[in-house]
Amino acid sequence: MAQMAVLDGNLQLSLDEIEKNAIIKETNIYLKKLIGQNDKQKQKLVYFAMDGCPDCQNVEKLLNDNSIASKYDMITIYTVDSKGEKECVDEGEVLKNIYDIDWYPSFLILDGDKYEFIGQESDEKLLEKLKDGIT
């Protein structure tokens, strides 16, 4: 249960008591709806990117050269620094905090109730994980 406290006349809400897995589950549902149901057979891929990031640019080439992008229904979500330039931005770094993103690029594969988060990986390992998806 969320805790509330009044400090200096302002209401403060703490999420410390809410189970992290419950937050992730609801966020996964939201992201699947955001991506849409283009192909119900495809897994969903959320690509967390940072504008101007050299590693992100390498990964985009990897995704396109290896037909990874066509394997998934996919959305790219950019850091808040890209606000106004990109279609989908992690305003307030909400997703960064929910999934504990500490590296860009990062990925989230969604398939039904299952998910896999992929952070910092070598190109070879990342390619292997993205080709396999959730099994």
Side-chain angles (χ1 to χ4, degrees):
M1 175 184 283
Q3 297 175 341
M4 291 187 280
V6 178
L7 300 174
D8 299 325
N10 294 321
L11 184 63
Q12 301 276 325
L13 180 63
S14 172
L15 299 177
D16 294 339
E17 297 295 318
I18 298 176
E19 169 115 15
K20 178 117 181 169
N21 287 334
I23 295 171
I24 289 173
K25 181 180 177 183
E26 291 301 317
T27 305
N28 289 351
I29 291 168
Y30 168 78
L31 289 170
K32 285 188 280 187
K33 287 179 182 175
L34 185 65
I35 294 169
Q37 295 294 325
N38 298 334
D39 184 341
K40 292 184 181 192
Q41 301 301 316
K42 286 184 177 182
Q43 294 180 3
K44 312 300 180 208
L45 181 67
V46 182
Y47 167 35
F48 297 100
M50 179 184 292
D51 227 12
C53 160
D55 289 327
C56 296
Q57 293 167 350
N58 286 342
V59 162
E60 287 174 21
K61 185 173 174 15
L62 253 172
L63 291 174
N64 293 325
D65 289 352
N66 293 283
S67 302
I68 298 294
S70 65
K71 175 182 168 82
Y72 297 94
D73 284 336
M74 185 173 144
I75 189 169
T76 302
I77 299 178
Y78 290 89
T79 60
V80 71
D81 298 336
S82 303
K83 185 176 180 180
E85 300 170 18
K86 302 296 178 186
E87 182 179 325
C88 198
V89 174
D90 185 10
E91 188 68 42
E93 299 184 331
V94 173
L95 298 173
K96 177 182 179 182
N97 290 315
I98 289 172
Y99 294 105
D100 297 321
I101 299 172
D102 62 359
W103 182 260
Y104 292 93
S106 289
F107 295 87
L108 178 66
I109 303 173
L110 302 166
D111 188 17
D113 291 337
K114 299 182 284 185
Y115 74 95
E116 180 179 353
F117 181 82
I118 304 169
Q120 185 177 7
E121 294 284 357
S122 68
D123 286 352
E124 296 79 25
K125 189 75 168 171
L126 176 63
L127 194 55
E128 178 184 320
K129 286 184 175 188
L130 292 174
K131 280 186 177 180
D132 290 345
I134 296 176
T135 55

